[in-house]
Amino acid sequence: MRTLLPPPPPSSPHHSAALASLASRILYPNPLPSSTTHLPLYILNSAAFPDARQTSYDDLVPYVLARLPAEDDLLAGQQYEILFFAKASADDASKTGKDAKKKRPGWQWCVQTYQLLSRVLRKRLSRLWILGAESWVRMLVEGVMVIGGGKGRKKVVFLKGLGELEGWGVCVREVCVPCGVWVVETRRRKRRGGRGEEGEEGKRRGRRAFGVREALPGVEGQEVRVRLPRVLREATSFLLMDECVKTEGIFRVNAKAVMVEVLTELYDQRQQFIVWQERGTTLCFPHWREGVGNVGVDEMEAKDGYDVHAAAGLVKLWYSELRQPIFPQSCYQALGKFYGEPELQLEPQQLVDMLKSDAEWTVLSATARRILRMHLLPLLSRVTEFEAWNHMTAYGLAVCFAPALLRGPDIEEDMKMMGIVRRLLEAMIRDWKEHLAPALGPEYENFEAELRLPEALADREDPLEEGDESTLSSNAQTSGITLIDNDASASDTQQEDDDDDNEPPLLPHRHDEAPPLPPRSHTFFEAEDARPPLPPRIRSSTIADIPITSPTTSPSSSSNQDKVKRKPAPTVQPLPRYSMIVGPHQRLATLEHTPFYNTVEQPTEEPQGMDLDLDPDLPGYDAVPESSRTAIPRKPVPKSPKGGQ
C-alpha cells in the first residue's frame, strides 16, 4: 500500500515548480472564511485538473494535499470546509466519451488517495459541497465514502446551483468563483427559462452599473463631486496595464458574448472577487470585511480569469446602455447643421467650446460632457499612444465607439448621424493630449486618481437603484411624454409602486359552490323548453292507402280525386332444386340459355327448338331438347409402355 509523503521543500532539487503551480490552481483557499461558521473555505476547481495521460497524479497529490490546513492546527480543534466545482468549465460540459475521461483520474487511484488521508484530515472536515456533480462523480463519492467507513457521507452535500449555497449560510458574492463556473450557471439558467436562483443574492432586484438613472454616482459626503462607477474603474485599470494596452485589436476584437453577459450580472449583483488576467498580468481589487481587513486574490489559473477583450467589451456595453446616450436624438438637427459637412475641418477651439463645463451653448448635455472628460477621451487617448503594438488609431477607435454613443428610435437616422459622430470623436481623441486636456481643467490630471480604489467603503460599491424603474429593460422608453397623476403626492405614488412590485395582482372572486341546477321535471320542460309533440306513427298496412298528390295540387282538390293504389309486388318464385334439373338417368345439360325469373333478365328472342310450355310445373325453367344436347368430350386414357405392368 502507498504511503503519503509530504512534497519536497522549495529549496530541494527534487521540488517541482510546475506541479506546485498546478496544485495552487487546483486547490486554493477562499480569500474570506465562511460568513456564518467563520471556518476556512477551500475551493477545489476541476477545470484545472491536468490530462491524466500527460501528468502523473501520484506525483501531484502530495502538492495538492499540502495546501490543506496543517495537522497541528487541526489537532488544536480547527475545522475547514471544501467547495468542489465538479463542472467548472463550459468545455467540460460539452465533452463526452473518451474526451471527458482525459482529465479523470482512475477509480482505483481515488479510493487509494482517500485512504491515504490522515484521520485528522477526514475528521476535521466540516462540510463538502459538490456543485454540478455528474453521475460518475456521485458514484465515485458514494463508493469512496463506503469504502472509507461511511461516516463521512453525512458531510457531503450535492448542489445544483450556486444559489443553493445561501441556504447553507455561505455568501456567494464573497466566494472567489472561477469564470467557468459562472458560464455554466448562466447556461443552466437559460435552459431553465431564464429563472434566477432561489437565494437572495441570485435575485436581480435592481441595477448598480448598467442602465441606471445616475451614470456617475456621487462621492460620499460631497454633494458636488462625482466618481466613476466600479465597472469602469476596474475594467479601465486592467485595460491600461502595460501588457494589456499593447494587445492587438483592443476594442476592435469582440469578446465572447457569454463572458460579457456574466460580467454584467456580477457587477449588478455586487460580486466581490472578479479576477482579470491576460498573459501573466493579474488584477483583482481587494475586498474589505469588518474584522478581517482588505483581502485579495493571489493564485488563480489564467483561463479562470477574464481577458482584456472582455474588459473592452464591458466598457462599450456600459456606454451603449446609458439611460441617456452621449448624443441623444434631440441634438441630431444641430449636429447636421453645424458639423454635417464632410470637408469641415474641426478646430481644437471648437471642440473645447463643445466639451467645457461652463459652455454657453453646446449640443451635449452636462452629464455627457463630464463622462467624456473624466473617462472616455483620456482612455482612448492613452490607447493610441501604443499604436505601434495594438494597431489602433484614432480613426479605428472612433469607428468602434461611435455606434455606442448614439441610440435613437429611428435606425436609419442613427446611421446618418454616425458619420458625424465618428468625425467628432476622431478629432477629440487626436487633439486631447495636446490641446483639449490642458484647456478643460483638472479632469485629465485626476484620471489616474479616479481609477484607484476609493478609501471610503461606501464608494467602493455603486448604489442600488430600486423602484419601479429597476425592472425596465435596455429597450425601455428613455424619451417622450410621460403622464403623471398630479393629484397624487410623491409619497403616495412611491408607496403604490412599491406595493405593486411586492404584491401580485388580485385574482377574480371564485365561488365556493356552484349554483344549483333547476330540477329536471316534466313541468320544467313544458315551461322553459316546450317542444311540439311528435306525429303519430303510421302503420305499414296503411302506407299503401295514402293518396299521392302532386306539388301543384292543392289539398282541397286532392281530396276529391280518386285514391291511387300502389302496384303489388310480384311474388317470388323459389329456385329449382338440383334434382329437378339433372335427373339420375340424365346427362348434364347445357345451361347457357336457362333463365330464372326474378334473378336474370329474359332473353329478347326465343331460341329455336325450345318451348316454354313443355313443363308448366317448372316456372322459369327452359327445357332443352335431346337434339341440342352435346356430349362432354373426354381425354383418352394414355397407353402404358411396352413391358410395363
Side-chain angles (χ1 to χ4, degrees):
M1 183 177 179
R2 296 184 304 163
T3 58
L4 182 61
L5 298 176
S11 59
S12 174
H14 301 287
H15 179 78
S16 176
L19 293 179
S21 176
L22 182 59
S24 65
R25 298 192 298 264
I26 294 176
L27 182 65
Y28 57 90
N30 193 59
L32 289 174
S34 179
S35 58
T36 304
T37 60
H38 303 287
L39 297 178
L41 179 63
Y42 289 84
I43 307 298
L44 183 59
N45 185 16
S46 66
F49 286 174
D51 193 341
R53 300 176 300 179
Q54 300 178 0
T55 304
S56 175
Y57 275 78
D58 294 337
D59 300 336
L60 177 62
V61 67
Y63 292 90
V64 175
L65 297 181
R67 302 185 60 81
L68 291 174
E71 291 193 5
D72 296 339
D73 299 335
L74 297 177
L75 291 174
Q78 180 183 356
Q79 296 181 339
Y80 66 99
E81 300 172 343
I82 295 179
L83 177 58
F84 177 34
F85 295 118
K87 188 185 294 184
S89 175
D91 299 334
D92 297 341
S94 60
K95 290 181 179 179
T96 56
K98 296 182 179 180
D99 295 337
K101 297 181 180 179
K102 288 183 179 180
K103 290 187 177 182
R104 277 185 212 170
W107 291 61
Q108 184 179 3
W109 179 89
C110 295
V111 175
Q112 293 179 0
T113 303
Y114 180 77
Q115 294 177 348
L116 289 177
L117 297 177
S118 62
R119 182 176 178 273
V120 65
L121 276 176
R122 288 181 286 182
K123 185 177 181 180
R124 293 302 179 184
L125 177 62
S126 176
R127 190 71 62 185
L128 172 61
W129 292 287
I130 301 179
L131 179 65
E134 297 180 353
S135 58
W136 72 272
V137 178
R138 294 176 178 268
M139 296 173 60
L140 177 62
V141 172
E142 295 287 347
V144 169
M145 291 299 176
V146 171
I147 296 175
K151 295 182 179 180
R153 178 63 185 85
K154 299 180 181 179
K155 302 179 181 180
V156 181
V157 178
F158 293 96
L159 304 176
K160 295 181 180 179
L162 282 172
E164 298 182 7
L165 282 174
E166 299 288 342
W168 293 91
V170 179
C171 186
V172 179
R173 63 184 179 87
E174 294 184 352
V175 178
C176 185
V177 182
C179 66
V181 178
W182 289 117
V183 172
V184 174
E185 282 290 300
T186 302
R187 293 181 177 178
R188 186 180 68 88
R189 287 200 300 267
K190 287 184 178 180
R191 290 194 299 267
R192 296 173 60 218
R195 294 176 295 175
E197 302 296 341
E198 297 180 358
E200 181 180 358
E201 294 297 331
K203 297 179 181 179
R204 186 172 178 176
R205 298 185 175 182
R207 301 188 180 191
R208 295 181 181 270
F210 298 88
V212 295
R213 291 190 295 267
E214 297 294 336
L216 299 176
V219 178
E220 184 71 17
Q222 301 182 19
E223 299 179 358
V224 180
R225 189 183 174 190
V226 295
R227 60 176 177 85
L228 293 177
R230 180 194 171 194
V231 57
L232 290 186
R233 186 178 67 244
E234 295 186 0
T236 305
S237 300
F238 180 64
L239 289 172
L240 294 182
M241 299 182 73
D242 294 339
E243 295 297 330
C244 299
V245 75
K246 296 179 181 180
T247 304
E248 183 178 357
I250 185 174
F251 290 113
R252 177 176 55 83
V253 178
N254 293 328
K256 294 183 179 180
V258 65
M259 290 294 184
V260 178
E261 183 179 359
V262 166
L263 287 170
T264 303
E265 294 187 4
L266 293 185
Y267 278 104
D268 279 341
Q269 295 176 5
R270 202 175 57 170
Q271 188 70 22
Q272 299 300 330
F273 301 105
I274 300 178
V275 181
W276 303 93
Q277 286 195 352
E278 179 71 25
R279 292 183 294 182
T281 303
T282 305
L283 176 65
C284 182
F285 283 85
H287 171 64
W288 187 90
R289 181 197 277 187
E290 185 177 357
V292 180
N294 289 330
V295 180
V297 179
D298 298 330
E299 299 171 334
M300 285 287 290
E301 191 179 1
K303 68 179 181 180
D304 289 334
Y306 303 95
D307 59 356
V308 62
H309 297 299
L314 199 65
V315 172
K316 291 191 294 184
L317 180 64
W318 186 88
Y319 278 94
S320 63
E321 290 196 359
L322 283 174
R323 188 72 65 91
Q324 185 73 13
I326 301 297
F327 294 92
Q329 186 189 13
S330 57
C331 70
Y332 284 1
Q333 185 177 1
L335 285 175
K337 180 179 180 181
F338 296 102
Y339 309 102
E341 294 294 334
E343 304 298 332
L344 179 63
Q345 297 294 332
L346 296 173
E347 299 296 334
Q349 187 59 37
Q350 291 180 295
L351 302 177
V352 170
D353 296 338
M354 182 187 298
L355 295 174
K356 63 183 181 179
S357 57
D358 55 348
E360 296 180 359
W361 180 90
T362 178
V363 296
L364 301 176
S365 63
T367 304
R369 286 175 285 169
R370 178 168 289 182
I371 293 175
L372 291 176
R373 295 194 309 264
M374 290 183 60
H375 179 260
L376 185 59
L377 295 181
L379 170 62
L380 299 184
S381 177
R382 180 67 175 172
V383 172
T384 56
E385 295 179 6
F386 297 88
E387 180 183 347
W389 291 272
N390 54 36
H391 304 289
M392 293 301 295
T393 61
Y395 173 81
L397 293 174
V399 170
C400 295
F401 269 89
L405 301 183
L406 71 167
R407 185 182 67 255
D410 191 357
I411 300 179
E412 296 182 358
E413 191 176 5
D414 293 346
M415 295 297 294
K416 295 178 182 178
M417 293 293 107
M418 195 173 298
I420 302 176
V421 174
R422 192 263 308 162
R423 291 195 300 270
L424 286 173
L425 188 58
E426 179 185 1
M428 292 178 184
I429 298 173
R430 185 179 59 250
D431 298 337
W432 172 258
K433 187 175 182 179
E434 296 182 1
H435 302 90
L436 302 184
L440 290 176
E443 281 81 1
Y444 178 73
E445 299 176 359
N446 297 336
F447 176 60
E448 295 182 357
E450 291 289 343
L451 299 180
R452 300 191 187 101
L453 185 66
E455 297 180 359
L457 299 179
D459 294 338
R460 296 186 180 184
E461 289 294 340
D462 300 330
L464 177 63
E465 180 180 295
E466 298 179 352
D468 55 347
E469 293 186 5
S470 62
T471 58
L472 293 176
S473 61
S474 58
N475 297 327
Q477 178 180 348
T478 58
S479 61
I481 300 175
T482 304
L483 299 180
I484 302 176
D485 188 4
N486 296 327
D487 297 333
S489 61
S491 59
D492 296 341
T493 306
Q494 182 67 22
Q495 182 66 24
E496 292 176 0
D497 294 341
D498 295 340
D499 295 342
D500 294 341
D501 294 341
N502 299 330
E503 297 181 1
L506 297 177
L507 297 176
H509 178 67
R510 183 175 182 178
H511 297 283
D512 297 336
E513 296 182 359
L517 296 175
R520 187 172 183 179
S521 60
H522 183 69
T523 307
F524 170 77
F525 284 102
E526 288 180 355
E528 301 292 337
D529 192 11
R531 297 186 179 95
L534 296 176
R537 182 177 295 180
I538 303 176
R539 298 181 180 180
S540 58
S541 59
T542 59
I543 294 178
D545 300 335
I546 298 176
I548 301 176
T549 59
S550 60
T552 57
T553 306
S554 60
S556 59
S557 60
S558 61
S559 60
N560 300 329
Q561 295 178 358
D562 297 335
K563 296 182 178 180
V564 180
K565 296 183 178 181
R566 292 185 178 182
K567 183 179 180 180
T571 58
V572 180
Q573 300 293 339
L575 295 176
R577 298 172 61 109
Y578 180 77
S579 59
M580 299 174 62
I581 300 176
V582 180
H585 303 288
Q586 296 179 354
R587 300 175 64 183
L588 183 63
T590 304
L591 301 179
E592 295 180 357
H593 300 283
T594 304
F596 293 93
Y597 293 107
N598 302 328
T599 57
V600 295
E601 296 181 359
Q602 293 288 345
T604 56
E605 297 181 1
E606 182 179 349
Q608 298 180 2
M610 291 189 179
D611 189 4
L612 299 178
D613 297 331
L614 293 178
D615 194 353
D617 297 335
L618 297 176
Y621 169 72
D622 296 335
V624 182
E626 292 289 341
S627 59
S628 62
R629 297 179 181 177
T630 57
I632 300 175
R634 298 194 179 192
K635 186 177 181 180
V637 179
K639 297 180 180 181
S640 60
K642 295 181 180 182
Q645 296 181 0

